[in-house]
Structures are given as structure tokens and as C-alpha cells.
Amino acid sequence: MLAKVLSGANLGLNSTPVTIEVDIASQGLPSFSIVGLGDKAIDESKERVRSALRNSGADFPPKRITVNLAPADLPKEGPLYDLGIAVGILIGSGQLEKVEEDILYVGELSLDGSLRYTHGVLPLTILAKKLGLKKIIIPKDNAVEAAIIDGVKIYGFENLKDVVSFLNKSVSFTPQPKTKINLEKEGLYEYDFSQIKGQEQSKRALEIAAAGAHNVLLKGPPGAGKTMLARTFPSILPSLSLDEALEITQIYSVSGNLSKDEAIIKTRPFRAPHHTASYVGIIGGGNNIKPGEVSLSHRGVLFLDELPEFPRQVLESLRQPLEDRHVVISRASGSLSFPAQFILLAAQNPCPCGFLGDIKKSCICMPGQVSRYQKKLSGPLLDRIDIHLDVPAVDVEKLTGDLKSETSKEIKKRVEKTRKIQSKRFAGTGILTNSEMNNSQIKQFCTIKKEALDLLKLAIVQMNLSARSYHRILKLSRTIADLADSEHIEQHHIAEALQYRAKSDA
């Protein structure tokens, strides 16, 4: 007898339906095979499903069983098809009758028949809604995550026996109630801007970066506070919107970084990979393509400490996602695209010893060492960073004094006010911040006064700025003007933006 049940496959953040076809032949020697371009985890489903059925009180038919995961040319991975295969066998063998067709099945089975937490359930729940299905059956540990989505009844079960009882309608089960989402408006952060002594210019620059989602490079001697500034930066970022939170949660769900204790990501990601991280770890990829750090930091911060210590290949690979706001990973089997809309926050020393240009401590590096160190960062990469910031050592008076600084909460209010201005400006364009503007949008929204334009023209000639630098200065100036609640970009806005260009541009 032939049975068909519906499941799905995750391709990046998109999901596509997969039909599980189960044929139980009345003739032939007993066997169990799974076809349809599955990976090793799917091949091992045979043993999990066989044991789960027997330990759940069901019969495993001693016949020739063929399972096809259609479409057959679509690569499939992971143990999420276990539940659908088991239900298909029960239907095909006559142990389940009159099962509703508008149900999506997702879940990994244990040998004892219990359903285990499964990665990638949220995108599959969105797929069920798009397909117009009424129900989705998943492991109980995934139910809160899936219940974020409206329009689909979520049924979470602890084991296969309960799934069979539900499908036979011998026991009544209520769907999972909708998950109430309370995004954290006042996040708990380890560091606060009030804890940073001095560094007023750095705080101002980071406020601008947070307001317009601009990339920042912090350069200064050891102990100046670069890492402290970076760790404090998330505390002034605006709270997530629901759409942003769902998008981030999908990435974490398919990558396996979403724990079963959290239904949705509530705060902006802050990712800080070590400089020994590989190309695949940063960009993404692998045999089973997974998102890398650039995608895991989507709508948040990617902090790269000791930037020149990262491998050259890794640094150069950042150029494309910094420009396009997404990353495309291509393999022989196909290509997958992941979003990568992040703020790059990087830190470095001016030289290997860290004291080049310091007025209190002499640099001990040879000229060749300094040159090689500084050449590790290419011009095209540096050109994509909006704010180049020198972080000097803190004065003793400021370090030991009791001078009060603004709290992160106070700065965050100004940042959120500026983001609301941008949200209103870019309504219907698909972008949220000034840093995302393309050239035509810069021309439309960056209205600049004549005096400011004259200053910018002069700077282009004297500082030998590239076309990309010109556009990035305009976007940064637009953010500075928004912070000042100014409709037009004025001369002092351009002047402040120019001081954040890399010194090597001069």
C-alpha cells in the first residue's frame, strides 16, 4: 500500500515542501530503503524508525518498504524526517486510517519512540502557513518556538504513541497556545557607558554608529579601552522589532544555535569570534551548509578584536557581505543565500607592540614590522568602514576621578529617536537605516547645503577620497544630521564625518 505524508526541507532561511512517499510491497524479501538524495542522518533514520515503532507498541511490517523523499533531486539533511517516515509506515501498513492530509510532520525520533528537540522548526512552521496547512506536528520541546507563528495549529508531542492517539482521534489534544512575545526593552548588559572613564570622542562616535548602523574600527594602544567600548556598544543599540527578532530567530533555528529554553531571540546578537576562526566559521558553509558569524550577527554586531591577526582570506571575504548585506555560499549542489546585515566593530593596535605614536611609551617595533602589520588590512576593506577612531590612553585624572558619565540608557534614547526618523524616511523602501542606502537613495534623501557641498568637494581632492568613501561620508553625515534633528546636511555635519575617515586617506 502507498502512503503520502508532508514534511519540509530548509534551504538557507527558506523552506520547501517535501513529500514522504512510503510503499509497502506485498511481495519481495523484507527490506527497508530510503531514497531521495538524503544524507547520512537520513540513512540512519531506518534504525531509529524501526526501534521507535516497536517500542511504541506498533508493528513494524516485515515486508519490502521503500521510502522516497520527493522531489528526488533536492538534497535533504538531518533527522527531521523521522516522524513523517514513521507515520507513513503506519498509514501504509493499515495501522492508521483516515488521517487528515493537511498536516506537516517534523521531528527526530529516539529509539524509545520519544520525540527529540529538532533544529529548523520555525522556518518549517512558516512554510506550513504559506502552504495553507491547518496543522503541524512537532516535538513538544519545539512547540513554544513554533507557536510564534499565527495561522497554524501547533501540536507538540512527547512521543510517537501520543501522535498515533491524536491521529486516530482516540485521545483529544489541545493545540499549543500562541507564544506571547515580550521583546526586552531594557536589556540586562554586563557593561554600561557610565562605567567608561573619559573617551568622550569614542562614545560620540559609537553613538553615531549605533544610530545609523555604521561600521567602526577602533585603533589604540593596549589598555586604552577598545574592548571595553566594544563590549558596551550593544547596550545603546535600539530594541529589536518583531520582524527583526523573527528573522534572527530563523537564522539561529536553522543553524542549531537556538536553545529549547528560548522561543525567540530578544536582544541584538553580539558575536565575537576569535582570530583563529576559519573562513567557513566566519562566512558559513561546510558539507551541510550552515550560516557563519556574519549571518549569526545579522541585525546585531560582529566584533573582531585584533583585526590584523585574522587570516587574510577571512578579512577579504568580509568585503562582499559588507557591501551587499547578504552572503551567497555556492557549492556544486547549488547556492544558498543568508542575510548578513551587521555592524562591523573591529579593534586593532597601531603596531605589533601597540605603542606606535604613543607620547608616554616608545614603540619597539622595527619599521618593516610596522609596515607588514599595517598592510594586513587592504585598502578596499578599510574603505568599507565608515568610522576610523583613534582611542588614546585614558588620562590619570579621568581614570581616578569621580566624574559622572552618561548612562547607556540615556544614549539609547537618542539612538532610538534617530532610528525612528530613519524608519519614517525609508518607509516602503525595504531598508531601515542610513547605512543601507544605495546611490539613488543617497541622492534622494541626502539633501546637502551649498557650503557643506563645497567642503566635501575640497575634501575629495585633498584627501584623495574614492567614490565609495564619498557616498559613505554622505550616509554618515545624514546620521549626524538626524541625531541633531536637522532636515538638511550642513557644513559641520560633513566636517564631523570627514574626521572619521582613515588617516591613510589623507
Side-chain angles (χ1 to χ4, degrees), residues 225-477:
K226 303 186 296 295
T227 303
M228 178 72 169
L229 285 164
R231 296 283 178 185
T232 312
F233 185 62
S235 66
I236 65 170
L237 290 174
S239 302
L240 285 171
S241 67
L242 179 58
D243 288 341
E244 288 176 319
L246 283 173
E247 197 172 10
I248 296 168
T249 304
Q250 285 186 68
I251 297 171
Y252 277 66
S253 181
V254 299
S255 65
N257 285 280
L258 186 69
S259 72
K260 60 183 179 182
D261 298 323
E262 57 181 343
I264 190 169
I265 302 296
K266 295 182 179 180
T267 56
R268 294 188 183 273
F270 181 86
R271 306 290 298 186
H274 192 259
H275 60 75
T276 56
S278 66
Y279 171 87
V280 171
I282 298 293
I283 300 301
N287 293 330
N288 296 330
I289 299 177
K290 298 293 183 185
E293 293 291 341
V294 295
S295 297
L296 293 172
S297 56
H298 180 63
R299 295 297 176 188
V301 180
L302 177 63
F303 175 48
L304 302 182
D305 202 1
E306 305 296 344
L307 186 65
E309 301 300 332
F310 281 81
R312 179 82 178 204
Q313 181 192 18
V314 171
L315 292 177
E316 295 307 307
S317 67
L318 291 173
R319 288 158 55 175
Q320 185 258 336
L322 283 173
E323 198 72 26
D324 298 337
R325 311 293 180 180
H326 68 271
V327 61
V328 178
I329 302 170
S330 298
R331 295 290 183 269
S333 57
S335 297
L336 290 182
S337 177
F338 292 102
Q341 175 67 49
F342 60 91
I343 299 174
L344 175 64
L345 186 56
Q348 71 164 100
N349 296 323
C351 66
C353 80
F355 295 100
L356 180 67
D358 194 281
I359 58 175
K360 296 180 180 179
K361 193 168 182 178
S362 299
C363 173
I364 60 172
C365 301
M366 298 295 289
Q369 289 178 298
V370 176
S371 178
R372 284 192 297 273
Y373 183 80
Q374 293 178 345
K375 284 182 178 178
K376 288 183 178 180
L377 304 180
S378 68
L381 176 62
L382 293 173
D383 211 25
R384 286 168 167 80
I385 297 176
D386 304 321
I387 299 176
H388 295 255
L389 193 62
D390 287 326
V391 183
V394 184
D395 293 335
V396 176
E397 290 77 11
K398 291 182 178 179
L399 187 62
T400 57
D402 291 330
L403 223 78
K404 290 189 177 180
S405 300
E406 274 191 306
T407 63
S408 293
K409 186 177 180 181
E410 292 171 319
I411 300 172
K412 183 177 178 178
K413 285 181 180 178
R414 294 198 296 269
V415 170
E416 290 191 324
K417 180 183 176 183
T418 308
R419 287 285 185 107
K420 286 178 182 177
I421 293 172
Q422 295 168 64
S423 178
K424 185 178 179 180
R425 174 188 298 136
F426 301 128
T429 63
I431 66 174
L432 300 176
T433 60
N434 289 329
S435 65
E436 301 173 58
M437 286 190 288
N438 57 33
N439 292 352
S440 62
Q441 289 165 336
I442 291 172
K443 189 174 181 180
Q444 180 182 355
F445 298 117
C446 293
T447 53
I448 182 169
K449 289 193 172 181
K450 184 181 182 303
E451 299 82 4
L453 183 60
D454 291 339
L455 175 62
L456 185 53
K457 287 178 180 177
L458 184 64
I460 291 171
V461 175
Q462 292 190 353
M463 298 175 68
N464 193 27
L465 297 176
S466 66
R468 181 184 289 113
S469 293
Y470 163 73
H471 288 119
R472 286 189 174 272
I473 287 169
L474 281 176
K475 289 191 278 189
L476 189 61
S477 302

Side-chain angles (χ1 to χ4, degrees), residues 478-492:
R478 179 68 270 171
T479 300
I480 296 170
D482 288 342
L483 274 168
D485 205 11
S486 174
E487 185 179 351
H488 303 287
I489 298 173
E490 299 182 9
Q491 190 175 25
H492 62 278

Side-chain angles (χ1 to χ4, degrees), residues 91-118:
I91 296 172
S93 60
Q95 298 177 69
L96 276 174
E97 297 179 359
K98 297 180 180 178
V99 176
E100 297 175 48
E101 295 182 355
D102 56 350
I103 301 176
L104 193 77
Y105 300 88
V106 178
E108 175 188 347
L109 286 171
S110 294
L111 298 183
D112 63 357
S114 60
L115 284 164
R116 297 171 59 88
Y117 179 81
T118 305

Side-chain angles (χ1 to χ4, degrees), residues 64-292:
R64 184 180 181 86
I65 301 172
T66 304
V67 176
N68 178 40
L69 306 178
D73 62 342
L74 178 72
K76 303 164 194 77
E77 60 185 56
L80 60 91
Y81 303 100
D82 290 1
L83 178 59
I85 293 171
V87 170
I89 290 173
L90 290 173
I91 296 172
S93 60
Q95 298 177 69
L96 276 174
E97 297 179 359
K98 297 180 180 178
V99 176
E100 297 175 48
E101 295 182 355
D102 56 350
I103 301 176
L104 193 77
Y105 300 88
V106 178
E108 175 188 347
L109 286 171
S110 294
L111 298 183
D112 63 357
S114 60
L115 284 164
R116 297 171 59 88
Y117 179 81
T118 305
H119 300 307
V121 165
L122 182 59
L124 292 169
T125 308
I126 295 172
L127 171 68
K129 182 179 179 178
K130 288 180 179 177
L131 295 175
L133 302 179
K134 295 180 180 178
K135 302 172 185 175
I136 178 170
I137 295 179
I138 56 176
K140 189 172 183 178
D141 286 340
N142 290 104
V144 177
E145 171 193 346
I148 295 170
I149 307 302
D150 283 322
V152 182
K153 289 183 179 179
I154 311 298
Y155 290 91
F157 294 100
E158 291 184 350
N159 52 60
L160 180 60
K161 190 179 293 185
D162 288 344
V163 174
V164 173
S165 299
F166 171 75
L167 295 175
N168 275 331
K169 298 182 180 178
S170 57
V171 180
S172 177
F173 290 91
T174 57
Q176 177 74 21
K178 179 168 170 39
T179 301
K180 294 181 180 179
I181 301 172
N182 295 314
L183 296 177
E184 295 180 7
K185 297 299 180 185
E186 302 296 336
L188 297 176
Y189 297 97
E190 185 179 357
Y191 302 103
D192 191 276
F193 266 76
S194 61
Q195 300 168 350
I196 300 174
K197 303 292 185 180
Q199 305 294 6
E200 285 77 12
Q201 185 185 19
S202 300
K203 293 177 186 177
R204 165 66 178 173
L206 290 181
E207 180 180 341
I208 295 168
H214 299 286
N215 303 318
V216 184
L217 174 61
L218 305 171
K219 184 187 292 186
K226 303 186 296 295
T227 303
M228 178 72 169
L229 285 164
R231 296 283 178 185
T232 312
F233 185 62
S235 66
I236 65 170
L237 290 174
S239 302
L240 285 171
S241 67
L242 179 58
D243 288 341
E244 288 176 319
L246 283 173
E247 197 172 10
I248 296 168
T249 304
Q250 285 186 68
I251 297 171
Y252 277 66
S253 181
V254 299
S255 65
N257 285 280
L258 186 69
S259 72
K260 60 183 179 182
D261 298 323
E262 57 181 343
I264 190 169
I265 302 296
K266 295 182 179 180
T267 56
R268 294 188 183 273
F270 181 86
R271 306 290 298 186
H274 192 259
H275 60 75
T276 56
S278 66
Y279 171 87
V280 171
I282 298 293
I283 300 301
N287 293 330
N288 296 330
I289 299 177
K290 298 293 183 185

